[in-house]
Amino acid sequence: MFRLGRTAEPTRLVSSIALPAMLTYVATALFGLADMWVIGRLGDAAVQSAVELGAKFMMALLIVFALSFLIGQRVSSREVAPLVIVGGYATSIGSAISRKAG
């Protein structure tokens, strides 16, 4: 049975996943800004949109690979319970945000 007292507290678990994700998002935004600055000098809207779509696609792949790595790491170490807790927190936070936005 899993008890919170034996492992890191939930805030620390969430932070261990959230902080690298936040840094990735900031880096992606900076790369996107640099791309738009360089491609924007060409003056072609179709090229700008193609670069932006490519960047979004690469970001989606990055997120999928990062999450699969984290999940695989937890499953291989047989520490699935913290992953379930973090997933529950992420689901409830996402649900709260969607209710506020909608």
Side-chain angles (χ1 to χ4, degrees):
M1 176 154 205
F2 177 72
R3 293 185 187 164
L4 284 176
R6 292 185 177 177
T7 63
E9 59 187 69
T11 305
R12 190 169 184 176
L13 291 171
V14 171
S15 297
S16 70
I17 294 174
L19 289 177
M22 289 171 30
L23 291 175
T24 302
Y25 290 140
V26 169
T28 302
L30 291 177
F31 283 128
L33 182 65
D35 286 342
M36 285 297 127
W37 180 68
V38 171
I39 300 298
R41 293 184 158 274
L42 295 175
D44 189 8
V47 174
Q48 286 179 337
S49 62
V51 167
E52 186 61 27
L53 284 175
K56 296 294 183 194
F57 178 72
M58 292 303 291
M59 186 64 192
L61 283 178
L62 178 70
I63 290 171
V64 167
F65 288 136
L67 287 177
S68 64
F69 171 76
L70 289 171
I71 291 169
Q73 193 176 25
R74 288 290 183 172
V75 169
S76 67
S77 67
R78 303 200 189 278
E79 292 182 17
V80 180
L83 190 63
V84 171
I85 290 174
V86 170
Y89 283 139
T91 303
S92 56
I93 289 170
S95 175
I97 290 172
S98 68
R99 286 183 188 159
K100 292 279 184 178

